[in-house]
Structure formats: C-alpha cells, structure tokens
Amino acid sequence: MHILLIHQAFASLDEPGGTRHHELARYLAMQGHRVTIITSPISYLTGKSRSSKIPWSEKQTDGDLITILRAYTYPSLHRSFAYRVISFFSFMVSSFIISLGIKNVDLVWGTSPPIFQGITAWLIARIKRLPFLFEVRDLWPAFAVAVGVLKNPLLISLSEWLETFLYRHADLVVVNSPGFIKHIQSRGASRVELVPNGTDTNMFNPNVDAGAFKQLHGLEEKFVVLYAGAHGLSNDLGIVLLAAKRLLLRRDIIFVFLGDGKDKPALQAQAAMEGLNNTLFLPPIPKVEMPSALAAADACIAILKPVEMYKTTYPNKVFDYMAAGKPVILAIDGVIREVIEKANGGIPIHPGDPEGLSQAILQLADDPGLAQHMGYQARIYVKNHFDRPILASKLMELMLEMVA
C-alpha cells in the first residue's frame, strides 16, 4: 500500500513540534507500506524556515519507504492572521501541483488543521480516483471562533461550509479525540472512527538520566514544573505566570517553559517585568531530545483557556508526560480530565485558576512520594491504553480496509 499524506504542519522526529504523523508513518513503513508526505519547509511551531531560501520542492527520505517532500509555503506564518491565511493557501496550491506527479498511490490522507490542505487531499483523491481519508485533529473553525480568532461572519460561514463539505465527501473521517465524534457526525460525516492521540512509551523511559539536562540549565536541587509545547493564544500560559508569582518565595520551585509560539516574547517580557526569577524559558527541542527534558521534570503542566469547546480535546503532550512517568497538573476539563482521573495520574484543576494551579504544585512539591506514585500510575495507564504501536495498528487496518 502506498499512502500519500498532505500535512503542512508535519514535524519529523529531529524537529520540534508534534511528531504523531512521523511515528505513524514509521510504523506503517515497518509493516512494508510506502508513505509519501508533502509538508512545508516552514516550522508550524516556530514559524521559521529550515533554510534561508525557501525552495519550490525539497526531498528527503527516512529509510526506503518514507519520502518527505517539502512544498513551497509563503513565510511569515505567525506575523498576522492574514499572513497565516496566505501561507495556508500557498501550501494548498504547491502541494496540489506536487501531488499530481506522485504515482502509484493507493490512498490519500488529508489532515486538519489547517483545513485548507483538506481540499488539496480531496481533490487529488478524486482526480486519481482513490480513497480519501480525512483526519481531524482540531475542530476548526469551531475552536477559532470560540477563542475569538475568527470573527467575520462571512469567513465563519465559508469555513463552516468547507468543514461540512470535507466531512461529507471523505470516505472515512478519523478523529484523535472521542470528544470530536458528535460534532463531526452532526455535520454529515457518514463514517467516523477514533484513533486517539497517544505516545511511544518506549521512547519515554522514566529512568533516563536527567543530570546533564539539569546541570545545563541550572535545575539541580529544584522541584521542576515543566510546560512543554506551543506558546500561543489557546495555551493560557499567563495563568502559569500568575501561579509562579504566588510561589516566588518557594526558592526550591522553578517553572520551565519549553517550546515556542506567537505569545512567547510577550510571556518573557511579562516574567521579566514582574521579577519572576523562578521562571526559565527554553527554546524548542527535537522530539528525540524530549525524553531527557521530561526526565528532568518533577511535575508537568497541561493547560488551555477555559473555553467550552476545549473540553473535547486530547492534547498530545498529556500522553507524553504520562509516558515519562510524571504527574500531570491538568488545567483542562472534559475528556482528557477523565483520562487523568481514571489513571490517578495527576491533579486536575479548573482552567483559568492560578490559585488552584499553585496549590496543586505545592501539594506535589511537599509530598514527593505522592508525585512519584501519580507518575507511576500515569505511565501504567498510558501504556495499557494509549501506546503508539497499538493505535498505529488500528489506523493501518482502517487504511487497508479502505484500499481493499
């Protein structure tokens, strides 16, 4: 089986960002299937190009069965909403042209967001008369409307029409959270299957030596509270800074922000202005380096704005935290809270509550035994229910069924 994946935000294991699709592609290749991935040379996380000159097309390989093609994308992804849309459309066009020349494909795999690349995947599937699998990783435009990024009534109507069109014309819609299913079915999808976010538990060994990472960043003898991921509007990291302010007198506690995003400069400026010397901002690192970073943490934070729609999400970082054997301080309600509660793998708090966040941190910092026990429970649960090879196997079976 030869699978064509069109995914502007794809990140390989040697890059910062979510690597779900690279891990899935590697599993498929291990089973003897070919995977061709068309992606962008611009990092979706940082907005930066891999090189000074953006090529029309750039090819790289991962073994004999995975080919990664980087299609031209207009830069300045994080400059403004308008530039972001231009970037999406440029990739939509360039990926379409490159897709036309890829031969002997058996299935086209589109993924959203950005939703515009879904049109490319659908069109290529129809031109080549192939099955079209549409994967939904975020409920766009519903999330954009909920946080106020998308306000224009005409744009909202057009976006909702596009969303419904893709759901109805996909041969199969795959979602990464059970919270998405009802929304998608209500908009006309004929078949929806759940392949949830998860993690490679073999990658995140809790016994990894974190000494070098701690020494490099001056974290020895500290209770390390780690946030790893995007620094954007939805992530509500201002609440974490408010919690850090409340805990300034606890010299043994330090907050580490690992990652990048549009809001990172403002967060750094706020921390400096308020004298939060218990915070440390680090640049994003490739996924292959994340095990040592997570091993250095004593507790990990997952947080989103208190928006009703976010109750439907399964944030990928939560599963990585759990696989690393770390207690999760979860400021997200909904389906992911159910996971943490069933696992007894952390402390759920209400989103938007800096006092609750600071109290949860104190509870774990003052009771190392509790923190270790919760981390152990988290790893056991995620290994039994959300291990990447099990989930990848389900996806492969769905693909084989579509092709057959």
Side-chain angles (χ1 to χ4, degrees), residues 270-297:
Q270 181 183 342
M273 182 178 66
E274 299 191 11
L276 302 182
N277 54 18
N278 59 347
T279 61
L280 175 65
F281 288 86
L282 298 178
I285 58 177
K287 186 67 171 279
V288 291
E289 297 178 20
M290 281 300 298
S292 60
L294 291 182

Side-chain angles (χ1 to χ4, degrees), residues 6-80:
I6 300 173
H7 186 9
Q8 182 173 347
F10 173 88
S12 58
L13 289 167
D14 61 354
E15 297 176 293
T19 59
R20 165 186 165 94
H21 293 87
H22 197 187
E23 294 173 48
L24 292 173
R26 285 189 159 195
Y27 177 87
L28 291 166
M30 286 173 60
Q31 309 309 311
H33 303 293
R34 291 176 58 200
V35 185
T36 299
I37 302 155
I38 302 180
T39 186
S40 168
I42 308 294
S43 168
Y44 201 74
L45 176 65
T46 66
K48 298 173 183 175
S49 174
R50 290 162 48 89
S51 59
S52 57
K53 184 178 180 181
I54 303 173
W56 168 253
S57 178
E58 180 184 46
K59 180 179 178 180
Q60 67 183 92
T61 58
D62 179 359
D64 296 329
L65 296 175
I66 298 177
T67 301
I68 302 171
L69 302 173
R70 299 190 181 272
Y72 174 83
T73 307
Y74 187 79
S76 304
L77 180 65
H78 294 323
R79 185 172 172 181
S80 69

Side-chain angles (χ1 to χ4, degrees), residues 215-386:
Q215 186 175 14
L216 177 63
H217 301 294
L219 302 175
E220 302 99 324
E221 309 301 324
K222 295 285 188 180
F223 184 87
V224 178
V225 183
L226 176 71
Y227 170 84
H231 295 42
L233 176 65
S234 298
N235 306 109
D236 214 17
L237 295 180
I239 295 295
V240 183
L241 290 183
L242 290 176
K245 189 174 183 178
R246 283 168 164 78
L247 298 178
L248 260 175
L249 296 180
R250 285 293 299 260
R251 300 296 182 185
D252 59 319
I253 298 175
I254 187 165
F255 291 75
V256 178
F257 298 82
L258 176 64
D260 207 345
K262 188 177 179 180
D263 287 359
K264 185 169 184 176
L267 292 164
Q268 290 175 297
Q270 181 183 342
M273 182 178 66
E274 299 191 11
L276 302 182
N277 54 18
N278 59 347
T279 61
L280 175 65
F281 288 86
L282 298 178
I285 58 177
K287 186 67 171 279
V288 291
E289 297 178 20
M290 281 300 298
S292 60
L294 291 182
D298 296 288
C300 295
I301 294 175
I303 182 169
L304 288 172
K305 280 186 174 296
V307 173
E308 188 69 19
M309 287 298 301
Y310 287 158
K311 292 181 179 180
T312 63
T313 62
Y314 260 11
N316 210 59
K317 64 170 62 64
V318 175
F319 301 107
D320 287 349
Y321 293 163
M322 296 173 75
K326 303 302 175 182
V328 181
I329 302 174
L330 184 75
I332 310 169
D333 283 332
V335 291
I336 192 62
R337 180 171 180 147
E338 294 173 12
V339 172
I340 293 299
E341 289 176 340
K342 287 178 181 177
N344 189 28
I347 303 176
I349 64 169
H350 292 298
D353 180 10
E355 179 60 28
L357 179 57
S358 60
Q359 289 302 315
I361 292 166
L362 285 174
Q363 184 179 350
L364 294 173
D366 292 338
D367 190 345
L370 174 65
Q372 291 175 7
H373 177 70
M374 285 184 166
Y376 175 79
Q377 294 288 104
R379 178 168 170 82
I380 294 297
Y381 190 85
V382 83
K383 189 172 182 63
N384 289 336
H385 298 279
F386 296 98

Side-chain angles (χ1 to χ4, degrees), residues 130-286:
L130 298 170
F132 170 44
L133 184 154
F134 186 49
E135 177 193 23
V136 179
R137 307 178 342 269
D138 263 343
L139 295 181
W140 196 94
F143 285 178
V145 174
V147 297
V149 172
L150 191 58
K151 300 177 182 179
N152 184 288
L154 178 60
L155 288 178
I156 292 173
S157 296
L158 289 171
S159 300
E160 290 175 344
W161 176 87
L162 175 58
E163 175 193 28
T164 301
F165 177 89
L166 288 168
Y167 294 162
R168 290 180 175 175
H169 288 79
D171 298 297
L172 172 66
V173 178
V174 170
V175 297
N176 65 10
S177 168
F180 294 170
I181 295 174
K182 184 177 179 180
H183 174 94
I184 291 168
Q185 287 176 332
S186 70
R187 283 156 176 77
S190 60
R191 184 184 177 193
V192 183
E193 294 282 352
L194 172 66
V195 180
N197 271 335
T199 186
D200 183 351
T201 56
N202 290 326
M203 179 183 293
F204 294 101
N205 186 339
N207 298 318
V208 168
D209 182 12
F213 187 91
K214 283 194 168 189
Q215 186 175 14
L216 177 63
H217 301 294
L219 302 175
E220 302 99 324
E221 309 301 324
K222 295 285 188 180
F223 184 87
V224 178
V225 183
L226 176 71
Y227 170 84
H231 295 42
L233 176 65
S234 298
N235 306 109
D236 214 17
L237 295 180
I239 295 295
V240 183
L241 290 183
L242 290 176
K245 189 174 183 178
R246 283 168 164 78
L247 298 178
L248 260 175
L249 296 180
R250 285 293 299 260
R251 300 296 182 185
D252 59 319
I253 298 175
I254 187 165
F255 291 75
V256 178
F257 298 82
L258 176 64
D260 207 345
K262 188 177 179 180
D263 287 359
K264 185 169 184 176
L267 292 164
Q268 290 175 297
Q270 181 183 342
M273 182 178 66
E274 299 191 11
L276 302 182
N277 54 18
N278 59 347
T279 61
L280 175 65
F281 288 86
L282 298 178
I285 58 177

